[in-house]
Amino acid sequence: MDAFTANWNYPTQMKVGVERSKDLPDICRMVGIQAPLFVTDPGLAELPMTSALIQRCERQGHRVSLFSNIKSNPNGENVIAGVQAFRAGRHDGVIAFGGGSALDAAKAIALMVGQDRALWDFEDVGDNWLRVNAQGIAPTIAVPTTAGTGSEVGRASVITDEKSQVKRIIFHPDMLPNVVILDPNLTVGLPPHITAATGMDALSHALEALCAPFYHPMAEGIAIEAIRLVKENLPLAVAQGDHLEARMNMLVASSMGATAFQRGLGAMHALAHALGAMYDKHHGLLNAVLMPYVLKANRVAIEKPIARLANYLQLSSSDFDGFYAWVIELRQQLEIPHTFADIGLDDQLANLVGQKAYQDPSAGGNPIQFSEAEYTKLFLNALHGA
Ligand SMILES: [Zn+2]
């Protein structure tokens, strides 16, 4: 497994390899953190691998506090509570440990410890990010324990505004963690359905980035290789959770998907954000259900890039239909439900779903600009399997 051990310098410093998380105390020192606030979710906080890592830091002289008051869709109150914990414990940096929720919350906490304004003042609208006091952002080390969101290499956090039931994107370029550790050992304990849903999120990032209508060949190149890694490793990681090579490659695919989506996301994420804020369902699962319906709706605009992708993936049929068939087959193999009805949603709030998806910032990256009514229709298609 030493074959994977590597240090990468883009998009940020990345320490890659089996058991690299054991380097955490040294990496804290490297970025000048003496007293980290260790931010994770309540489930992970209970796990032996988490306490082992914290003890490892403490044995090497770091003063660590654990903060795990985070919802599965983290909200503004979680961030405020984290900032209070950071200040009360006089911490000087953040360790972001977990899946997307913990990483997003931790990055937002690291941002907010140095600001005087309210969290929503930094929503990614116009040039709001210029309001940030960049010097105040605490140094952050991100250690993902799922392979999907890629939040460890992102410069934003998705935080739920509970009052208005929408997910808001909080953005600043310096929210990109200073160092990322990709250690497949941390993901071997994930149950198959979480591995599947998070892996499909990574795929949806790369796929929407590839289909976004903007000029960014670098992101396109990263996207197609990420999709190849998903194709060759996700079924294996789901079927055989302790397969370190598959787990390693999925962590990398996840970071690559999130690197690629600076090119844009699209209708999958516009709808998944709307539905996630309204129903508290797993973000990756929502994208996984939506994927074929959004592909079909976008078909006229994406046949060329999808054919190039199908060719690169060496699918038996190198065109849109070949790729679509592969997506359907992959979802079946991973036991992803085919419709939203299968996961308990109904059509009562369909118009509101369409309205919120239309307003979501991700909608701007979709190759076709859908109307509110078209988003409602797309949701209904995914609800009923049309
Ligand atoms: Zn996503």
Side-chain angles (χ1 to χ4, degrees), residues 149 201 204-205 261 269 273 283 287:
T149 69
D201 190 30
S204 70
H205 295 156
F261 79 56
H269 274 79
H273 289 154
H283 170 75
N287 279 312

Side-chain angles (χ1 to χ4, degrees), residues 255-267:
S255 290
M256 290 172 75
T259 304
F261 79 56
Q262 62 177 273
R263 187 168 188 246
L265 286 168

